[in-house]
Amino acid sequence: MLPRTRDDYDNAKTSKIRLTFTKRYLRFTWFRGLVLLALSCLLLFSIYIRLNINLTPEILSDKNQNFDKDTFAAQPIETFVQTHTPVIYNTIDWKERQNAVRKAFKYAWKGYVRDAWGCDEYHPLSHRGSNLTGIGIGFTIVDSLDTLLIMDLKEEFRHARDWVAKSLNFEQGGNVNVFETTIRVLGGLLSAYHLSGNDTLFLSKAIDLGDRLLGAFSSPSGVPFASINLASRKGIAAHFAGGVSSTSEATTLQLEFKYLSYLTGNEEYWKKAEETMFKIDSLEKLDGLVPIFLNPYDGKFVGNTITLGARGDSYYEYLLKQYLQTSRTEPIYRRMYDQSMNGVKSRLVNYSFPSKLLYIGELINDNLNSKMDHLVCFMGGNFALGVTLGKPVREVEHLNFKEIEELRIGKELTKTCTEMYFSTATGLAPEIAYFTSLDSSDTDKDIFIKRFDSHNLLRPETVESLFIMWRLTGDVQYREWGWKIFEAFEKHAKFEDGGYTSLDDVTSIPSGRRDKMETFWLAETLKYFYLLFGPNDQIPLDKYVFNTEAHPLPIFTPTRKVRGQGWSRR
């Protein structure tokens, strides 16, 4: 019905406008409510992630922890499978466990002193030592110097220092591996120099050795030869595959040579090591991933095998650690590291069947192989270190999605590496493991071990990751896993007549013994156990970088004189 008057018309029009406005307001209110609800869910989800990844229960800061299982359950390790050996949370005296590691070191050291003092390597079963050259260059002694200092073994350290002062002589013929000599002997001397309060004995020996090792960089390309004659200072190509150098060996000299330059003001060490990285960066890669061999004559890659295991591993480790060592003043290494980790995540990370254990496989002719060396287990801690840069996760202000993902990968890979231990008869990991794929669903085992890969060399990589993950996350589970592994070493690798020895087959008991105690048992494995069970302010990860032989080197800010202008990509 039409309005009869102007007033009636105006009133009707006003009512219609009010009705339209009311409907629009209600629609706006409903839409705003949905937006607020979505934002609230997103906020709650972010808080949930932060609580699960970025917080550590206050109870963990107590020296004598008394853990409540329900409280700690809120801080899960992200994994798809539970450990075969359940963890019991109770009051634990970690100082007592640390002292057990110290006792193990003293036991191993005593056997070496008695049977092989001054020799490069120790064979506990036959009670003898052996040398890599002539009278030896102190591999075991020098490799152990900083462990002696960290464990406060004063008498043993004085004995070792006296040998370095009177008997360590690099004027010897015979060839030594450049990589092994750099990470163990040069790295050991440099770390001992710093931790001893700048004892010049160690620096003078390091300079002598560093000058001799420079001869390895005399190749046409600048990529170091595999070996060196310390007396003639002449680099020597490898005796296989046309004299190729391992990629990891050529690119795992940089922390030591850069620190030596920093201490001495001699830029030659720095430049020689840096030239290799410049050469590597100029080569074509597969999403930042590199083959495992380099030709020292033309500086190019050889073959197409890509692995984070033998001959490839520490290339990736030193990309991150070079960035950290120089107080993040060389961002080129961070970019190279990030690119390579993107390649690892997209091309090498895979999951086993049926428990979905995360592992890092190998690329051979562009095909992913389910083989993973124990050497790869350093990457669990390395992923986490790349996220926090040495700070505990709880002190990191913000984690983006990439960082959350890499922290997750680090956690899951560390868990997988412990499964390599807990799934064997001895509780110790094999040198190499293979992981079951969905195509092999006729088995309920995620991990299988070939007979010729079943030995254990007392390697440190899993313990290294447990130490780093404990320091960065505060999750006590890493300490518990470490203790179980330590107990397995004590049970199966300890030789009743002195020392510890490599095992022949971890899948059987008795496992058989190989009559060799690798120097990294003293330099790395026991050191990482000791730090895992010790206070968090001892060798803090935001003040030190560990070289690939576990020798802590202090983080420093390079001077222009030493570093020069640096380098950038072409």
Side-chain angles (χ1 to χ4, degrees), residues 88-99:
I88 301 174
Y89 298 102
N90 55 12
T91 301
I92 298 169
D93 188 342
W94 292 105
K95 183 64 176 177
E96 181 179 340
R97 291 186 172 184
Q98 188 184 45
N99 284 335

Side-chain angles (χ1 to χ4, degrees), residues 96-109:
E96 181 179 340
R97 291 186 172 184
Q98 188 184 45
N99 284 335
V101 177
R102 189 173 185 264
K103 183 179 178 181
F105 181 95
K106 292 184 68 173
Y107 182 84
W109 184 257

Side-chain angles (χ1 to χ4, degrees), residues 119-165:
C119 293
D120 289 331
E121 297 182 325
Y122 177 36
H123 307 278
L125 304 187
S126 54
H127 301 287
R128 64 182 179 87
S130 61
N131 291 321
L132 302 176
T133 62
I135 61 173
I137 55 173
F139 264 68
T140 294
I141 294 175
V142 178
D143 218 3
S144 304
L145 287 170
D146 55 9
T147 310
L148 293 168
L149 288 165
I150 289 170
M151 293 186 179
D152 196 29
L153 295 170
K154 293 182 174 63
E155 181 179 346
E156 292 84 350
F157 176 75
R158 282 193 294 268
H159 188 197
R161 185 193 182 281
D162 185 63
W163 183 90
V164 171

Side-chain angles (χ1 to χ4, degrees), residues 136-399:
I137 55 173
F139 264 68
T140 294
I141 294 175
V142 178
D143 218 3
S144 304
L145 287 170
D146 55 9
T147 310
L148 293 168
L149 288 165
I150 289 170
M151 293 186 179
D152 196 29
L153 295 170
K154 293 182 174 63
E155 181 179 346
E156 292 84 350
F157 176 75
R158 282 193 294 268
H159 188 197
R161 185 193 182 281
D162 185 63
W163 183 90
V164 171
K166 297 178 181 178
S167 303
L168 181 56
N169 178 15
F170 297 122
E171 186 63 27
Q172 298 186 48
N175 305 336
V176 295
N177 181 274
V178 174
F179 162 75
E180 298 290 356
T181 304
T182 299
I183 66 170
R184 301 192 196 203
V185 184
L186 182 60
L189 290 168
L190 292 172
S191 185
Y193 168 74
H194 171 76
L195 295 178
S196 65
N198 300 347
D199 186 333
T200 56
L201 167 66
F202 301 121
L203 181 57
S204 64
K205 293 291 185 180
I207 294 171
D208 182 19
L209 178 58
D211 289 343
R212 297 171 189 274
L213 290 170
L214 284 175
F217 294 90
S218 60
S219 71
S221 69
V223 171
F225 287 116
S227 298
I228 185 80
N229 184 299
L230 293 178
S232 68
R233 309 187 182 203
K234 180 182 178 181
I236 300 165
H239 300 297
F240 63 91
V244 296
S245 298
S246 297
T247 300
S248 63
E249 294 187 359
T251 57
T252 311
L253 315 170
Q254 286 66 31
L255 295 184
E256 298 81 2
F257 276 83
K258 286 182 173 182
Y259 186 48
L260 186 57
S261 272
Y262 174 74
L263 293 175
T264 63
N266 184 349
E267 64 181 3
E268 186 176 8
Y269 307 118
W270 190 299
K271 286 185 175 180
K272 291 293 187 182
E274 186 174 72
E275 178 63 26
T276 301
M277 302 308 302
F278 179 74
K279 175 67 69 175
I280 289 280
D281 190 55
S282 69
L283 300 175
E284 184 178 354
K285 305 174 189 65
L286 182 66
D287 293 342
L289 304 176
V290 297
I292 60 174
F293 291 113
L294 274 169
N295 188 328
Y297 297 100
D298 62 15
K300 296 181 179 179
F301 290 126
V302 178
N304 59 6
T305 298
I306 293 175
T307 175
L308 268 65
R311 303 187 185 278
D313 49 358
S314 47
Y315 164 74
Y316 305 95
E317 176 187 2
Y318 270 37
L319 289 181
L320 175 63
K321 289 184 176 179
Q322 284 183 83
Y323 172 67
L324 296 176
Q325 181 189 36
T326 56
S327 302
R328 309 177 207 172
T329 59
E330 298 177 288
I332 181 66
Y333 294 115
R334 179 76 218 204
R335 292 197 294 272
M336 293 173 71
Y337 173 76
D338 286 338
Q339 289 170 354
S340 65
M341 290 305 100
N342 288 338
V344 170
K345 290 184 290 185
S346 65
R347 294 183 178 272
L348 301 183
V349 168
N350 205 356
Y351 294 87
S352 68
F353 181 87
S355 302
K356 297 184 179 179
L357 294 174
L358 183 148
Y359 67 92
I360 296 178
E362 298 181 347
L363 277 182
I364 301 176
N365 297 323
D366 294 327
N367 295 316
L368 184 64
N369 190 345
S370 67
K371 169 179 174 285
M372 189 173 86
D373 295 357
H374 185 276
L375 290 167
V376 179
C377 289
F378 84 95
M379 273 303 305
N382 214 68
F383 264 116
L385 189 62
V387 171
T388 75
L389 306 181
K391 291 285 188 182
V393 177
R394 63 179 178 273
E395 295 181 14
V396 179
E397 293 184 359
H398 174 71
L399 293 178

Side-chain angles (χ1 to χ4, degrees), residues 355-478:
S355 302
K356 297 184 179 179
L357 294 174
L358 183 148
Y359 67 92
I360 296 178
E362 298 181 347
L363 277 182
I364 301 176
N365 297 323
D366 294 327
N367 295 316
L368 184 64
N369 190 345
S370 67
K371 169 179 174 285
M372 189 173 86
D373 295 357
H374 185 276
L375 290 167
V376 179
C377 289
F378 84 95
M379 273 303 305
N382 214 68
F383 264 116
L385 189 62
V387 171
T388 75
L389 306 181
K391 291 285 188 182
V393 177
R394 63 179 178 273
E395 295 181 14
V396 179
E397 293 184 359
H398 174 71
L399 293 178
N400 59 38
F401 285 110
K402 173 181 176 294
E403 292 166 335
I404 291 172
E405 174 70 359
E406 293 190 357
L407 185 58
R408 179 189 68 82
I409 291 173
K411 288 182 174 184
E412 291 195 27
L413 181 61
T414 303
K415 178 63 179 68
T416 297
C417 289
T418 64
E419 287 295 320
M420 288 170 61
Y421 283 79
F422 301 148
S423 63
T424 69
T426 58
L428 295 172
E431 179 73 358
I432 298 171
Y434 289 80
F435 291 83
T436 307
S437 65
L438 185 60
D439 298 335
S440 305
S441 56
D442 57 332
T443 178
D444 60 353
K445 293 183 178 180
D446 292 80
I447 300 171
F448 64 98
I449 302 165
K450 297 181 179 180
R451 175 62 188 90
F452 292 107
D453 302 328
S454 64
H455 52 286
N456 181 289
L457 302 180
L458 314 178
R459 288 200 185 276
E461 288 78 20
T462 295
V463 188
E464 174 184 0
S465 282
L466 291 172
F467 158 65
I468 294 174
M469 295 302 295
W470 156 252
R471 283 284 184 91
L472 299 185
T473 70
D475 191 332
V476 75
Q477 179 71 86
Y478 297 114

